[in-house]
Amino acid sequence: MAKNSFKTLISQKHKTFPADLNMYGMKCKSQLLEDQENVTLIINRRNSIRQKPKSWAWTLLRCRWQKKLVLLLIFICVCVLIVFANTHLLVRGNILSAFLSSRLTKHSHAEKQEARYPDIPATTPPVPPVLRPTHYLLNYSATQLELGSHLNGLSSDYNIFVIYTRENYHLNLKFDLFAHSLLKHTSAQLHLHVITDSESQPSVLEILQRQIRRFRRTVIYTIYDVKVCSSIIQDIAAKLSPYFSSTPNSYYSDSLFFLSLGLHRIADRSLNRAILLDCDIVFRSDVRLLFNEFDNFLPHQLYGLAPELTPVYRHILYRYRVRYPKTSFGNPYYPINNEGGNQHSRVHHGYPGLNSGVVLLLLNRIRNSKSYLEKLTHSEVHTLVAKYSFKGHLGDQDFFTLLGYEYPNLIYRLDCIWNRQLCTWWKDHGYSQIFDAYFRCEGNIKMYHGNCNTRIPE
């Protein structure tokens, strides 16, 4: 009995076990399918919530090598900006010239299109301002005769140009001393050309009338509008100021500091000989003697300037002098080691540069000199500056210095007695041992130049 019951139990157990196993497997599969569906639903729901429109930056940075490429490009751009900010102005000029060359090709293409289609209206260039100087006849009487825009037959062989703008107390004192010394030492019929502004004009007239009454002289006086004069020479100043002024808004960046290079445009066509003077000039002799220096000009000489009496160009040319230590450019006019040597030995004068406080101009020669006008082009100035690694800050004086060394036949060397500069700034700024060699000027001084606000000796 026991054996039978045990067998029946075993048989029942074997009969029911496979059915229970199938049911368990079906339940597991259905549960797994439900779980999988739930997971996919959750994932789809999250993706629908977080999904955003793909930008070009995201698609670009999907791969690691693309990220590295973008970082490399950013690094290169930063390096280029750093190098450009610390490069010399000449390198920037090369980059700018390359950019402008493409622009010029575009302009030439536009000109061809205009020639091909002449019916297209061309833009008219701006009308340049017209210079209308006002002339006066000043004498020692109380009356003042205004001649208007014509001299009515009055003329003078002694034409002196001077700039008087942005009036202040010190400038007023300088011009008063200038007019006083000028009229004191001469009895010649002078024609004084003053480039001034409307605010400074009354002071100029008052100073001249006072000094004319004091010395009982008669002077032809012409006023020029400083704004019109600046616009006439603006193209010259635009070419030279990047090389010969320290910063765009500096003292010597004004176009008036390049006036001597464009005075032939401003002066009347009837004028040939003229002298441009700074306001801080004081005469110790007759100005007619200075005009006599024009008779010593050679046929090809256009300007006359005296040497610079400070080591400023020795300082500016330090790079060029390192490459060419035997050059005379930047040396004092009188040799340093020949002050008491053999007088029969040949003296090799240095070239310390030129000073533009006193400038003699042969206006007709300048107007007719094609070679000189070519040297005022941007390409010629850039070549000249690059050759001597030159970065000046003194306006037209820097250009005259380069021009006088590269083309010495264009400039007449005026003796230092006609422009005895008194500035000693460089003596206290690193050149005390050799300053006296530059400051040396032998002869009877005929004109003092109180540059650097230096006091004129009694």
Side-chain angles (χ1 to χ4, degrees):
M1 268 310 275
K3 290 182 180 180
N4 292 331
S5 61
F6 180 76
K7 287 181 181 180
T8 56
L9 286 172
I10 291 298
S11 63
Q12 290 178 357
K13 191 173 184 180
H14 281 284
K15 288 179 181 178
T16 57
F17 179 74
D20 294 339
L21 183 62
N22 292 332
M23 289 176 63
Y24 179 77
M26 291 175 66
K27 289 181 181 180
C28 289
K29 286 182 180 180
S30 61
Q31 187 176 358
L32 287 174
L33 289 174
E34 289 178 358
D35 293 340
Q36 187 175 1
E37 289 178 356
N38 292 332
V39 170
T40 54
L41 288 173
I42 293 171
I43 292 174
N44 292 333
R45 190 177 300 169
R46 289 181 179 179
N47 290 336
S48 62
I49 295 172
R50 296 182 180 180
Q51 190 172 8
K52 295 181 181 179
K54 296 182 179 180
S55 62
W56 65 270
W58 175 254
T59 57
L60 182 66
L61 300 177
R62 289 177 65 183
C63 298
R64 184 176 297 177
W65 67 270
Q66 292 175 340
K67 295 180 182 179
K68 292 181 179 179
L69 179 61
V70 172
L71 292 175
L72 180 61
L73 291 175
I74 295 173
F75 178 74
I76 291 173
C77 292
V78 172
C79 292
V80 169
L81 291 175
I82 294 173
V83 171
F84 183 79
N86 293 277
T87 49
H88 196 266
L89 185 63
L90 299 177
V91 180
R92 299 184 191 176
N94 292 331
I95 299 173
L96 183 61
S97 62
F99 172 74
L100 290 178
S101 62
S102 62
R103 296 289 300 271
L104 290 175
T105 55
K106 294 181 180 178
H107 286 301
S108 62
H109 178 69
E111 292 174 357
K112 291 179 181 178
Q113 293 294 329
E114 290 179 1
R116 186 178 301 175
Y117 304 103
D119 295 335
I120 300 175
T123 57
T124 57
V127 179
V130 179
L131 184 64
R132 294 185 177 90
T134 306
H135 306 285
Y136 297 89
L137 181 62
L138 306 179
N139 52 37
Y140 53 86
S141 64
T143 60
Q144 170 187 321
L145 179 60
E146 182 176 351
L147 303 176
S149 59
H150 301 284
L151 288 174
N152 297 328
L154 292 175
S155 63
S156 173
D157 294 330
Y158 306 104
N159 294 279
I160 300 173
F161 284 80
V162 65
I163 303 173
Y164 187 93
T165 60
R166 302 174 186 174
E167 182 191 14
N168 55 59
Y169 175 74
H170 295 287
L171 184 62
N172 190 286
L173 291 179
K174 291 177 182 178
F175 187 74
D176 186 52
L177 185 57
F178 168 83
H180 176 89
S181 62
L182 173 63
L183 298 174
K184 177 182 178 180
H185 292 93
T186 187
S187 60
Q189 176 70 64
L190 301 179
H191 189 169
L192 191 60
H193 307 257
V194 180
I195 300 172
T196 184
D197 50 53
S198 58
E199 293 80 10
S200 306
Q201 180 179 341
S203 298
V204 175
L205 190 59
E206 187 273 330
I207 291 172
L208 289 177
Q209 286 181 328
R210 185 174 68 251
Q211 297 298 340
I212 286 171
R213 287 195 296 267
R214 178 174 184 175
F215 295 104
R216 302 178 69 83
R217 301 283 190 263
T218 301
V219 175
I220 305 172
Y221 168 51
T222 301
I223 298 175
Y224 300 83
D225 187 359
V226 63
K227 294 181 180 178
V228 179
C229 294
S230 298
S231 63
I232 291 175
I233 63 169
Q234 184 61 40
D235 60 325
I236 297 177
K239 296 173 188 174
L240 301 183
S241 58
Y243 303 104
F244 306 128
S245 60
S246 55
T247 56
N249 296 320
S250 65
Y251 180 70
Y252 286 98
S253 65
D254 197 311
S255 60
L256 289 178
F257 291 99
F258 301 94
L259 181 75
S260 59
L261 302 173
L263 190 62
H264 59 281
R265 300 179 180 178
I266 298 170
D268 191 84
R269 287 278 177 176
S270 61
L271 300 183
N272 182 22
R273 295 182 175 185
I275 297 177
L276 178 63
L277 301 173
D278 284 354
C279 282
D280 51 3
I281 292 291
V282 176
F283 291 84
R284 289 291 183 261
S285 64
D286 196 335
V287 71
R288 287 180 289 190
L289 300 177
L290 179 59
F291 275 91
N292 291 340
E293 293 290 328
F294 282 110
D295 298 331
N296 300 327
F297 276 47
L298 296 177
H300 45 263
Q301 291 176 331
L302 310 176
Y303 294 93
L305 291 93
E308 171 67 29
L309 300 182
T310 67
V312 56
Y313 291 112
R314 185 187 188 98
H315 180 81
I316 290 175
L317 293 164
Y318 71 96
R319 293 181 182 177
Y320 178 77
R321 290 174 60 85
V322 168
R323 296 199 306 268
Y324 304 98
K326 294 184 179 180
T327 182
S328 62
F329 200 176
N331 287 341
Y333 181 75
Y334 298 103
I336 299 177
N337 56 358
N338 196 32
E339 295 184 5
N342 186 7
Q343 303 203 357
H344 297 287
S345 62
R346 186 177 178 181
V347 178
H348 295 279
H349 294 291
Y351 184 77
L354 300 173
N355 185 275
S356 61
V358 179
V359 183
L360 280 63
L361 304 96
L362 285 176
L363 298 173
N364 287 339
R365 289 189 186 178
I366 297 171
R367 295 185 186 107
N368 299 325
S369 176
K370 294 182 179 180
S371 62
Y372 167 72
L373 298 178
E374 289 175 355
K375 291 170 179 57
L376 286 175
T377 59
H378 182 272
S379 59
E380 289 292 331
V381 174
H382 178 78
T383 302
L384 198 61
V385 169
K387 179 178 180 179
Y388 296 101
S389 301
F390 194 94
K391 182 62 181 77
H393 59 279
L394 297 175
D396 59 349
Q397 177 172 313
D398 294 330
F399 181 73
F400 279 129
T401 295
L402 285 175
L403 193 71
Y405 190 76
E406 185 71 11
Y407 308 101
N409 59 324
L410 296 180
I411 295 181
Y412 170 74
R413 185 194 170 276
L414 195 64
D415 198 283
C416 64
I417 61 175
W418 289 109
N419 186 1
R420 181 52 171 112
Q421 302 133 57
L422 300 173
C423 179
T424 59
W425 188 88
W426 288 97
K427 186 175 184 178
D428 303 325
H429 293 81
Y431 292 92
S432 58
Q433 296 182 355
I434 60 174
F435 180 82
D436 291 337
Y438 288 87
F439 201 63
R440 177 182 173 188
C441 180
E442 299 178 351
N444 185 21
I445 305 302
K446 300 184 182 298
M447 289 168 59
Y448 282 102
H449 185 185
N451 50 345
C452 303
N453 296 319
T454 311
R455 184 181 178 182
I456 305 298
E458 299 294 338

